[in-house]
Amino acid sequence: MPIVKPGDKILVTGANGYIPAWVVNQLLEKGYAVRATVRSKEKGTHLEEYFKKFGDKLEIAVVPDITADGAFDEAVKGVDGIEHMASPFHNNVDDPEEFIRPAVDGTVGVLKSALKNNPNLKRIVITSSCAAVITVQPEARTFSEEDWNEASIKQTEELGRKADAMTKYRASKTLAERAAWDFWKAHKSEVNWDIAFINPPMVFGPPIQEVESPEKLNTSLKAWYDFVIGDDSKSRDVLASSNSWIDVRDLADAHVLALEKEAAGGERIIITQGPYVWQEWLDIANSIAPSVRPNGKIVKGYPELEEEKEYKIKYDNLKGKRLLGITYRSKEETTRDTLADFAKRGW
């Protein structure tokens, strides 16, 4: 029996972002009504234009500061489910609190607002990250939902502003997820709703939100752009480096399924297609779409790495397949669609 079903109203926070915009799309396409929060009316304009065919199925709600007390009090009223996705992710951060406070206060704030203002809510799905799962180490390892990134919290506490941006980000995602689980466990006897967490790694694939230039892309997609459409300056070691990934459209589907599937309640779910080394994306791009560059070429890199590649960072994705029944796009499909989108944008 589904927890929510088409026709229900779903709140999506941070809806003009790279991943949330796709979640809004998948919800509307399946017949849901969506209340989408943005930080200003202007940031909702593109969403209204892009989704105008759905008419009044899309409602824009302005939440200027997700860390403010009661920021989501009005937004949560009358919805059947919540996709909480608003959280900062960028590289130019000095004070760790710039990551930590919005991540923790925004996430717990949604739960507090739901507790006070929506007795009929059914489920809250929260976007976490594999940043809250991984422990960075030189050895190859497969991580699972049982793993927590305690190391980044410790490093951020010890180094403060001197910690690198990714360490601060990983600490913020771990602390936010921990805080949300603690809040729900403390109050679950008072509510009729439950929570589920979606933990993705690097996210690639075509954006549907308005993006002025490649420099304004989501951080993970900007990395993909820089490697695949960039110059020849990447070293062999960098192109041999490993991570795991998910197509943004599959991730959006996972968010919707996590609202619908009863078994997802109270679960932490890693959503990943699998691992990669950066050279693989160059090889695929060169094989399918060499004409997207003005000079007809894409960076070659070091194709011989195909014979030597080692996946250092892997995640067990069986839980997502089992609970959500999700299938994933291939690297080839994601590359083809992303390059086509970039070409349309004149990039």
Side-chain angles (χ1 to χ4, degrees):
M1 180 176 173
I3 297 298
V4 299
K5 59 189 183 304
D8 287 347
K9 179 173 281 191
I10 309 300
L11 173 67
V12 180
T13 69
N16 60 311
Y18 172 49
I19 302 167
W22 270 109
V23 172
V24 171
N25 183 81
Q26 311 305 60
L27 287 166
L28 290 170
E29 290 286 356
K30 288 189 80 169
Y32 289 91
V34 174
R35 179 178 295 154
T37 77
V38 291
R39 284 181 297 163
S40 66
K41 191 174 186 307
E42 293 71 32
K43 290 186 179 295
T45 302
H46 174 69
L47 293 177
E48 290 175 318
E49 177 61 26
Y50 190 88
F51 295 117
K52 63 184 178 183
K53 70 177 181 179
F54 295 102
D56 62 3
K57 287 287 187 181
L58 175 67
E59 170 193 349
I60 301 295
V62 176
V63 178
D65 180 6
I66 66 172
T67 68
D69 286 343
F72 293 101
D73 280 358
E74 290 301 316
V76 303
K77 290 179 180 176
V79 299
D80 301 286
I82 296 173
E83 300 272 13
H84 177 57
M85 312 188 72
S87 189
F89 182 9
H90 48 88
N91 286 324
N92 16 323
V93 165
D94 181 32
D95 186 347
E97 290 299 302
E98 291 181 42
F99 268 148
I100 293 168
R101 285 278 61 82
V104 174
D105 293 350
T107 301
V108 175
V110 168
L111 301 182
K112 287 180 178 177
S113 291
L115 177 65
K116 289 189 299 181
N117 297 291
N118 193 335
N120 299 315
L121 185 68
K122 298 167 185 172
R123 176 166 292 164
I124 301 177
V125 175
I126 302 172
T127 310
S128 185
S129 171
C130 283
V133 175
I134 189 174
T135 298
V136 179
Q137 58 186 53
E139 301 83 17
R141 180 175 166 186
T142 299
F143 296 90
S144 77
E145 287 86 356
E146 299 302 312
D147 293 304
W148 285 87
N149 184 355
E150 306 291 353
S152 288
I153 297 173
K154 188 169 185 289
Q155 289 168 18
T156 301
E157 288 172 346
E158 291 173 349
L159 298 175
R161 292 174 183 268
K162 293 181 180 178
D164 67 70
M166 280 307 303
T167 298
K168 296 168 190 172
Y169 171 73
R170 292 184 186 116
S172 79
K173 297 305 287 187
T174 309
L175 290 166
E177 188 179 342
R178 286 272 197 211
W181 281 119
D182 289 346
F183 182 92
W184 180 67
K185 287 171 184 174
H187 296 280
K188 65 180 179 178
S189 63
E190 305 167 47
V191 298
N192 296 316
W193 45 267
D194 58 15
I195 62 174
F197 273 86
I198 299 294
N199 297 67
M202 297 288 278
V203 184
F204 306 140
I208 60 172
Q209 87 274 38
E210 191 173 35
V211 186
E212 297 169 9
S213 68
E215 287 66 37
K216 301 291 186 182
L217 287 168
N218 160 280
T219 304
S220 59
L221 185 56
K222 175 64 164 57
W224 193 96
Y225 178 92
D226 288 344
F227 272 93
V228 178
I229 312 292
D231 55 34
D232 289 298
S233 65
K234 303 293 186 298
S235 72
R236 182 187 179 93
D237 286 346
V238 168
L239 291 174
S241 61
S242 166
N243 208 325
S244 289
W245 75 286
I246 183 67
D247 187 291
V248 65
R249 297 162 291 183
D250 296 334
L251 180 56
D253 287 340
H255 277 81
V256 178
L257 290 166
L259 273 179
E260 296 174 333
K261 300 281 189 179
E262 188 172 359
E267 296 289 350
R268 185 184 200 220
I269 307 170
I270 291 172
I271 298 296
T272 178
Q273 196 273 356
Y276 67 86
V277 297
W278 282 111
Q279 181 63 42
E280 289 179 90
W281 297 104
L282 300 188
D283 293 344
I284 294 166
N286 275 288
S287 72
I288 64 173
S291 63
V292 299
R293 294 298 305 277
N295 61 6
K297 293 180 182 177
I298 289 176
V299 177
K300 294 284 188 187
Y302 300 88
E304 65 273 16
L305 285 172
E306 174 62 28
E307 305 301 320
E308 309 165 22
K309 68 186 177 190
E310 180 184 8
Y311 295 134
K312 292 286 187 74
I313 302 172
K314 295 193 284 186
Y315 297 93
D316 185 340
N317 65 3
L318 293 179
K319 189 176 185 180
K321 291 178 179 179
R322 175 171 53 84
L323 294 182
L324 304 181
I326 193 166
T327 57
Y328 299 115
R329 287 170 172 81
S330 66
K331 292 184 179 83
E332 289 76 12
E333 183 178 354
T334 297
T335 301
R336 187 181 298 110
D337 292 349
T338 306
L339 291 176
D341 179 86
F342 289 172
K344 272 194 223 168
R345 294 171 187 262
W347 298 347

